[in-house]
Amino acid sequence: MSIHIRPISSTELRALAHELADVMREVVDGGASLGFLTPLTPDELPAYWLSLIPEVQDGTRLVLVAFDGDRVVGSGQLKLASFPNAKHRAEVHKLFVANSVRRQGVGRSIMLALHDAALECGRSLI
């Protein structure tokens, strides 16, 4: 297993929406809510990922994806606060890891990457 984690662009998000949805569906079907309840409709999760494109484009949300080779195995997001008195804050959203790579440090690696990304954006409070 060779995991690499990186932020994706809005164009990549559009291209990866179904793959991200498939991994997220596996996790939600396994009991993690992530803000969704089973049974999920076929379009529910791809639509969710596509709905993030404007925020990724305007820089208010970062989507980091964990890859094993070219296969998506996890993700996490940073929502960057935009209020004038909150420019130092970011919130972690929807952190999940595919069942096939659980208990191998992928979730921890995503969280560390989110912390690094937050610092790069000048955010000191997560």
Side-chain angles (χ1 to χ4, degrees), residues 60 78-92 118-119 121-126:
T60 59
L78 275 181
K79 175 67 175 157
L80 304 175
S82 58
F83 298 111
N85 67 337
K87 297 286 187 185
H88 64 292
R89 290 192 344 235
E91 295 177 3
V92 173
L119 288 173
C121 293
R123 308 303 166 119
S124 58
L125 178 64
I126 298 178

